[in-house]
Amino acid sequence: QAAVKLEEAGGAKADADRAIAADPQYAKGYHRRAVALMMLGKHQDALRDYRKVVQLAPRDAAARQNLAECQKLVRRLAFEAAI
């Protein structure tokens, strides 16, 4: 089951990559890729995409919340790795 979810996340990332390539200003493409990257455990890459979503859609409260949650997770993981 976990392998299936990872496979779906990989497919979702590929779809988002294509959407972003077609329209680099498409905030939803970056959001979808960030979600997929989180599922794949690529938190730093997801953080980069969440920042782009907020840049493209600064009034989107959900986007700002997702960014804050991702930042918190990245900091926690960095702290855990340091101890």
Side-chain angles (χ1 to χ4, degrees), residues 37-58:
L37 288 166
M38 290 292 286
M39 290 177 67
L40 293 168
K42 297 183 177 190
H43 305 111
Q44 290 287 348
D45 292 338
L47 183 59
R48 180 194 67 231
D49 278 354
Y50 280 130
R51 285 183 177 135
K52 185 69 173 180
V53 174
V54 170
Q55 176 189 349
L56 293 171

Side-chain angles (χ1 to χ4, degrees), residues 15-72:
D15 289 346
D17 286 341
R18 284 190 291 277
I20 293 165
D23 181 1
Q25 300 302 308
Y26 184 50
K28 191 172 274 191
Y30 289 97
H31 175 262
R32 290 179 178 160
R33 187 169 70 182
V35 170
L37 288 166
M38 290 292 286
M39 290 177 67
L40 293 168
K42 297 183 177 190
H43 305 111
Q44 290 287 348
D45 292 338
L47 183 59
R48 180 194 67 231
D49 278 354
Y50 280 130
R51 285 183 177 135
K52 185 69 173 180
V53 174
V54 170
Q55 176 189 349
L56 293 171
R59 295 176 188 255
D60 185 336
R64 290 193 310 275
Q65 179 65 32
N66 290 334
L67 173 60
E69 290 173 10
C70 186
Q71 287 172 322
K72 184 177 176 181

